[in-house]
Amino acid sequence: MPPAAIDTTSQLTSAGVSSALSKTAHSLTNGANGVSGVQLAELDASRITSTYTASPRPVPVPGSPEIAAQNICTDHMITAKWTVKEGWHAPALQPYGPLSLMPTASCLHYATECFEGLKLYRGYDGKLRLFRANLNAARMLNSATRIALPAFAPTELLKLIMKLCATDGPKWLPKDEPGSFLYLRPTMIASDPALGVQRPNEALLYVILTCFPRLDAPTIGADGSPQGMKLLASGDDTIRAWPGGFGHAKVGANYGPSLVAQGEARKAGYNQILWLFGDNCEVTEAGASNFFVVWRTRSGATELVTAPLDRKIILDGVTRRSVLQLVRERLSESTENVQGLDIVERNIQMDEIVQAAGDGRLLEAFAAGTAFFISPVQEIHFRGTDIRVPMTAGEAGPYTKQIKTWLSDIMYGKEHHEWGIVVEEQS
Ligand SMILES: *Cc1c(COP(=O)(O)O)cnc(C)c1O
């Protein structure tokens, strides 16, 4: 595989970012929103104003039910308003609390909403870190411009994210709890108070920081052994995304419509839907995570396979990208303990997985994303057949376990790596 394979179809490269930026800047200054020749203010983190809360709230204890409920946010949030006439207003750090929107707001009717998801980690060396958050900021720009929301410089969003983390991180992720994390949700909504079906004239960017449960911990089955994820392949009457659509953007419109299928999967005892695409039942993603298999080919090679980005029907996951890069750097050569992995980004048909499992060539499968981190898969149900995936190293297969350890060591500062971005804490 050529090293460039990851980047060729990606929008997270600097070329991709400047193309998204220029498209929008151009359309804004040339009248697409009914305004022409006006110099609009850019998003500028240095203009931030800060109002601190007068009623700080208690931090829930680790493992408490409130954390599982995913409804507790930290004391503050960041907001920044945009209008078509002026561009970006000064951002604000302010107490966490309700937003005020008119019932006509565009996002409530036309799904003009996009978001990001990333974590803030408390390291074993006592430091706070983000993981490759520059990629999340770049992806947010791409998602925003896909649905006619305003552009911004991703570096400014990253500074705003860091500001919130620096403010609330020290209290909400105490130094004496290394290995813990919070979840960041940068969001943008169109807030125009008018029902017209058109490019938004007003938008609100905000960033919140929430308590979040650990979703990658193995559960213990009835037989006492660790359980992996159970995936239910989607039926032929539902698809998540299609070429020319918006499956590659983190826009709310991708998620609401998937919840009926997800609810049914949960009721039937599965953790997530494995989304298939096309007549050949090609595997795309597992829930809101990218999907990987490790198998041996008939000619004896050991491959790490995941769906490609070129049709734009899957999300360009930061975790996906990191898995591919680490495996390329560290696992492509065989050692005395493990056989090297060939990295293959191509469409995988369900039939190929069924056959590999039948021949004993299916070695491992896992889901990869921020929320579920690296979660081993133990079973896939596909139209009447149960495919068992081995989890030979107890809670995962050896490759899955190794990849997960490498990533978590970078996130929690056990390995010092450029992907771990240290947040300077505000005392
Ligand atoms: C967020 C998301 C992912 C994972 O992306 P990460 O950047 O690794 O968190 C994968 N697929 C979908 C559909 C997603 O929404």
Side-chain angles (χ1 to χ4, degrees), residues 139 240 250 255 285 287-290 315 317-320 368-370:
R139 190 169 66 192
R240 191 195 88 93
K250 233 172 161 70
Y255 302 86
E285 299 193 73
S289 304
N290 294 113
L315 203 83
V318 176
T319 320
R320 174 189 183 279
T370 299

Side-chain angles (χ1 to χ4, degrees), residues 304-381:
L304 174 72
V305 197
T306 195
L309 303 174
D310 53 7
R311 286 188 298 195
K312 297 196 170 181
I313 59 172
I314 66 164
L315 203 83
D316 185 348
V318 176
T319 320
R320 174 189 183 279
R321 201 169 243 285
S322 306
V323 167
L324 293 175
Q325 262 172 266
L326 286 178
V327 169
R328 183 168 284 121
E329 287 166 19
R330 304 182 183 183
L331 261 179
S332 54
E333 305 288 333
S334 297
T335 66
E336 47 183 280
N337 296 323
V338 293
Q339 196 167 5
L341 289 180
D342 293 339
I343 296 168
V344 182
E345 292 178 75
R346 72 156 171 91
N347 295 313
I348 315 165
Q349 298 179 9
M350 271 314 299
D351 277 350
E352 297 178 273
I353 296 183
V354 171
Q355 280 171 25
D359 298 350
R361 293 182 289 105
L362 181 61
L363 305 179
E364 301 178 22
F366 61 91
T370 299
F372 284 85
F373 192 29
I374 304 289
S375 287
V377 171
Q378 75 164 41
E379 186 183 316
I380 303 169
H381 186 88

Side-chain angles (χ1 to χ4, degrees), residues 63-78:
S64 63
E66 301 144 281
I67 294 184
Q70 295 185 36
N71 59 10
I72 308 245
C73 289
T74 62
D75 292 317
H76 300 95
M77 63 181 181
I78 300 242

Side-chain angles (χ1 to χ4, degrees), residues 12 22-23 48 116 180 219 221 245 304 313 362 425:
L12 301 188
S22 66
K23 251 187 303 187
I48 195 163
E116 267 305 319
S180 55
T219 51
L304 174 72
I313 59 172
L362 181 61
E425 296 174 54

Side-chain angles (χ1 to χ4, degrees), residues 180-375:
S180 55
F181 62 84
L182 294 168
Y183 182 82
L184 279 150
R185 175 52 66 87
T187 310
M188 208 197 300
I189 57 176
S191 48
D192 299 44
L195 277 182
V197 184
Q198 59 178 17
R199 284 188 72 104
N201 289 325
E202 265 188 47
L204 183 72
L205 169 69
Y206 60 90
V207 186
I208 54 177
L209 187 54
T210 78
C211 298
F212 200 83
R214 189 169 295 276
L215 299 177
D216 63 305
T219 51
I220 303 299
D223 64 352
S225 61
Q227 303 277 294
M229 270 190 165
K230 293 185 182 175
L231 302 179
L232 176 63
S234 58
D236 56 11
D237 58 345
T238 324
I239 53 173
R240 191 195 88 93
W242 47 90
F246 40 88
H248 63 295
K250 233 172 161 70
V251 296
N254 277 320
Y255 302 86
S258 74
L259 299 181
V260 170
Q262 196 219 52
E264 282 168 5
R266 292 264 163 92
K267 226 163 67 192
Y270 297 91
N271 302 95
Q272 291 291 333
I273 297 279
L274 182 63
W275 293 104
L276 307 182
F277 177 78
D279 295 338
N280 295 325
C281 297
E282 288 159 0
V283 176
T284 62
E285 299 193 73
S289 304
N290 294 113
F291 178 76
F292 288 79
V293 294
V294 180
W295 63 25
R296 202 163 297 125
T297 63
R298 292 216 166 83
S299 55
T302 311
E303 290 182 343
L304 174 72
V305 197
T306 195
L309 303 174
D310 53 7
R311 286 188 298 195
K312 297 196 170 181
I313 59 172
I314 66 164
L315 203 83
D316 185 348
V318 176
T319 320
R320 174 189 183 279
R321 201 169 243 285
S322 306
V323 167
L324 293 175
Q325 262 172 266
L326 286 178
V327 169
R328 183 168 284 121
E329 287 166 19
R330 304 182 183 183
L331 261 179
S332 54
E333 305 288 333
S334 297
T335 66
E336 47 183 280
N337 296 323
V338 293
Q339 196 167 5
L341 289 180
D342 293 339
I343 296 168
V344 182
E345 292 178 75
R346 72 156 171 91
N347 295 313
I348 315 165
Q349 298 179 9
M350 271 314 299
D351 277 350
E352 297 178 273
I353 296 183
V354 171
Q355 280 171 25
D359 298 350
R361 293 182 289 105
L362 181 61
L363 305 179
E364 301 178 22
F366 61 91
T370 299
F372 284 85
F373 192 29
I374 304 289
S375 287

